[in-house]
Amino acid sequence: MATLHDGETASSLSPTDKEYELTAERAGILETADRFARRELAPLFAKMDADEWWPPYIMRSIGSAGLIGVAVDPEFGGAGLDFFCQGLVIQAFARHNSSIGLSYAGHENLFINNLDQNGTPQQRAKYLPGCITGDLIGALGMTEPGAGSDAIGSMATVAHRDGDSYILNGRKTFITNGPIADVMIIYAKTAPERGTKGVSAFLVEKNFPGFSVAQKLIKMGHRGSPTGELVFDNCRVPAENLLGEENKGVAIMMSGLDLERAIVGSHALGVAERALEITVEYAKQRVQFGKPIASFQMVQALLADMYVAVESMRQMVYYTLAKCNRLAGTDGGRGEIHKLTAATVLLCGRSLQKICDSAVQVHGGMGYMWETEVNRLYRAAKVFEIGAGTNEIRRLIIAGELLSE
Ligand SMILES: Cc1cc2nc3c(=O)[nH]c(=O)nc-3n(C[C@H](O)[C@H](O)[C@H](O)COP(=O)(O)OP(=O)(O)OC[C@H]3O[C@@H](n4cnc5c(N)ncnc54)[C@H](O)[C@@H]3O)c2cc1C
């Protein structure tokens, strides 16, 4: 039996069939989130994409609906559910507005989940309630202009202790929610000479002196989700805002990245479901040669392949979410779960690319038009092969784990 982490075996993490099934309770959560997203988020999607617009009230609306802090203890305002349910909410949001899906994932998973897993009770009490009502928006800054795939080795952001504070210097880029975030988890080197044992995580508020947003970045897809470059110029962060222990930030980062990969899978699944849904509809109503194009077998083949890809994604995403349910704190980032989450996001990213390509193909020239929904989904799809580690990095992780077994 493969060893996962010290003292843990494959069977101890393997979910039973029941654990990854869409039970009635889970189906109810997916349905609730879907109904909310169809009503509140879908009507915003086109304008957000066209105008690069973020609706400033939307996180509060999501909070009022009880859909933030899904896995957080009710003591801090959360719903007290689990990681699987967090994935279901993102899946539902992605079906109707992938841009909000991305910003929500940055808030709910990258910020809230990482804080909830790694914060002190004081840190959780200070930030979680405001984040869960949607009054505060969270983000996470790991990537830098010179440190993408090699996020740790090439990290140039540094922090040093100065009395009761740390002083941060450096830049982060491509940060989801960066331009609108109130509070962020930021990684910086506190002991650059110690490599992976010299990175720490900090909770940085937008009003801390020395913090600024350098620019909002213009993207090809997910244009309604604000992405930005952040600057830390002698940014003073109170020592009590160190997240986890000094120089132990890599464990938080690596474990958080595994959970992020599972969530990116959920997000991709929602987009894929929507692409299939609107493509089937279009094929039924578009008439050529006197018949709906859905009657042509070559179109049917595209639809059938899209369905196979969506259902494969669903099985893998739910299986992986169930496995993540069993993780605590910084248990991820290595072993079986590291390999599986990388495999899930690799499968989902590739599948979504094919699905959206076929979706545009079935829509013909209309699919090539910027303002159509299928075009928005096509433009949104590419990032699922890049974010949370590129396809190449995912394969390096999988091969690395296979070869170390
Ligand atoms: C829309 C969007 C939102 C994002 N949100 C966030 C966020 O909220 N927080 C955050 O911290 N980051 C975020 N990112 C950053 C994202 O995680 C990085 O873009 C990603 O990790 C890749 O880094 P890079 O862009 O610097 O590419 P690079 O690392 O420069 O890679 C360029 C190419 O080289 C390949 N490559 C690199 N190293 C190897 C290797 N060893 N072997 C083979 N091929 C290799 C890559 O696979 C890729 O094809 C976001 C990115 C985007 C596009």
Side-chain angles (χ1 to χ4, degrees), residues 345-392:
V345 74
L346 180 64
L347 175 103
C348 288
R350 279 176 174 165
S351 301
L352 185 62
Q353 274 295 114
K354 269 198 84 51
I355 289 166
C356 289
D357 188 61
S358 298
V360 168
Q361 193 66 22
V362 173
H363 281 75
M366 192 53 83
Y368 201 71
M369 295 302 118
W370 180 269
E371 74 273 13
T372 59
E373 184 176 1
V374 72
N375 190 271
R376 279 201 295 285
L377 301 183
Y378 181 85
R379 286 185 279 111
K382 186 60 195 171
V383 79
F384 293 91
E385 295 196 300
I386 296 171
T390 61
N391 277 0
E392 291 69 37

Side-chain angles (χ1 to χ4, degrees), residues 91-114:
Q91 179 191 344
F93 285 9
R95 287 173 177 171
H96 301 290
N97 188 326
S98 188
S99 290
I100 290 181
L102 178 60
S103 277
Y104 173 81
H107 179 61
E108 170 79 5
N109 178 256
L110 295 184
F111 184 79
I112 292 179
N113 208 70
N114 274 311

Side-chain angles (χ1 to χ4, degrees), residues 147-181:
S149 300
D150 183 25
I152 301 169
S154 298
M155 185 183 292
T157 300
V158 289
H160 68 267
R161 185 79 187 235
D162 180 38
D164 288 343
S165 307
Y166 286 88
I167 307 294
L168 267 63
N169 279 291
R171 299 173 94 83
K172 298 287 173 184
T173 196
F174 304 150
I175 306 307
T176 299
N177 297 342
I180 55 167

